[in-house]
């Protein structure tokens, strides 16, 4: 069911109760005002997740498996009265090609990659697929679906608050970071990215 539709920012969020899962899954669709290159740089700035991702206290790259596969450690601030959560994430990028406009990022939790350090609670599950596609209006279409299990004991009020708030807040903060211009330029990306103009040129040839 739809949770929020922000016509001004072009952000829509949904939630769904999955069979056999404790928490609800989510879906987000939005139009980001930035280039594909800037979006890719934002996603690969692992140490900068605290500037836009949900309640991040710490984030760092643990291992770069290949140019398109990464292992990242993230610590999240929890709602009042609850211990911090941490998670080890394996991210795999499926790059664009000259015939495939969509860049896909798949994330899955790897809870046994590092020992647990109490009082932090290890998040046992985080399964997220994000797809980015350049639009002819110069923006980037984002479509994200996922499921997150925070682990441990979580009061219903806290779970409901995070589930309803986090997907929308993340996209709003992501948009702000893209508009800052910090990711418009930088070191070369480890995989190719293409904007809508690149595909128009391909067609014209």
């Amino acid at each position: 069911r739809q949770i929020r539709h922000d016509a001004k920012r072009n952000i829509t969020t949904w939630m769904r109760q999955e069979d056999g899962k404790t928490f609800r899954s989510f879906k987000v669709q939005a139009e980001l005002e930035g280039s594909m290159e800037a979006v890719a740089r934002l996603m690969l700035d692992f140490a900068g997740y605290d500037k836009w991702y949900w309640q991040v206290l710490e984030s760092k790259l643990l291992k770069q498996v290949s140019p398109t596969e990464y292992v990242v450690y993230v610590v999240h601030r929890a709602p009042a009265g609850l211990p911090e959560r941490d998670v080890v994430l394996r991210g795999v990028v499926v790059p664009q090609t000259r015939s495939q406009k969509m860049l896909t990022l798949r994330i899955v939790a790897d809870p046994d990659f590092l020992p647990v350090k109490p009082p932090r609670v290890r998040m046992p599950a985080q399964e997220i697929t994000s797809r980015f596609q350049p639009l002819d209006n110069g923006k980037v279409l984002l479509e994200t679906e996922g499921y997150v299990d925070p682990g441990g004991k979580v009061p219903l009020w806290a779970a409901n608050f995070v589930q309803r708030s986090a997907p929308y807040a993340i996209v709003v903060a992501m948009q702000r970071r893209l508009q800052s211009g910090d990711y418009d330029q930088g070191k070369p990306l480890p995989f190719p990215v293409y904007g809508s103009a690149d595909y128009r040129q391909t067609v014209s040839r």
Side-chain angles (χ1 to χ4, degrees):
R1 64 190 180 88
Q2 183 173 298
I3 298 298
R4 185 162 186 171
H5 175 64
D6 185 337
K8 183 178 180 180
R9 290 191 172 100
N10 288 315
I11 304 172
T12 306
T13 64
W14 297 266
M15 287 194 159
R16 179 170 61 190
Q17 184 62 57
E18 306 278 0
D19 292 339
K21 290 189 175 182
T22 305
F23 301 96
R24 291 174 290 185
S25 61
F26 68 90
K27 178 179 178 181
V28 182
Q29 182 172 300
E31 288 188 12
L32 304 175
E33 294 185 12
S35 66
M36 287 293 296
E37 188 173 351
V39 168
R41 285 202 174 94
L42 175 72
M43 301 305 294
L44 295 179
D45 180 19
F46 306 113
Y49 280 14
D50 62 326
K51 295 180 176 65
W52 63 275
Y53 208 72
W54 178 258
Q55 297 295 329
V56 169
L57 294 170
E58 175 188 347
S59 59
K60 60 184 177 181
L61 177 66
L62 295 179
K63 182 179 181 180
Q64 182 167 344
V65 181
S66 74
T68 57
E69 185 174 352
Y70 307 85
V71 181
V72 181
Y73 178 70
V74 182
V75 180
H76 293 275
R77 180 186 296 107
L82 299 177
E84 296 171 358
R85 261 57 181 176
D86 71 356
V87 62
V88 178
L89 301 172
R90 287 187 175 272
V92 176
V93 177
V94 181
Q96 297 167 290
T97 66
R98 285 292 186 179
S99 58
Q100 172 57 48
K101 291 185 178 182
M102 191 176 295
L103 182 152
T104 302
L105 173 62
R106 297 191 178 98
I107 294 172
V108 62
D110 188 349
D112 298 322
F113 189 90
L114 289 177
V116 177
K117 294 182 178 180
R120 287 178 178 168
V121 174
R122 178 64 44 84
M123 295 170 62
Q126 186 164 334
E127 305 162 8
I128 300 175
T129 299
S130 298
R131 300 177 179 89
F132 304 90
Q133 181 173 319
L135 299 174
D136 290 337
N137 61 7
K139 298 181 181 182
V140 173
L141 176 65
L142 164 65
E143 294 181 325
T144 296
E145 296 184 60
Y147 174 80
V148 176
D149 185 338
K153 295 181 179 180
V154 180
L156 183 60
W157 69 264
N160 287 338
F161 171 73
V162 174
Q163 288 177 341
R164 294 182 65 89
S165 305
Y168 175 81
I170 288 171
V171 176
V172 171
M174 180 189 295
Q175 185 69 279
R176 289 180 182 144
R177 293 299 298 146
L178 290 171
Q179 291 174 332
S180 72
D182 291 348
Y183 298 97
D184 291 345
Q185 295 181 343
K187 64 181 181 180
L189 291 166
F191 47 80
V193 292
Y194 302 104
S196 58
D198 296 310
Y199 293 102
R200 289 196 296 270
Q201 291 171 6
T202 301
V203 171
S204 65
R205 290 172 188 162

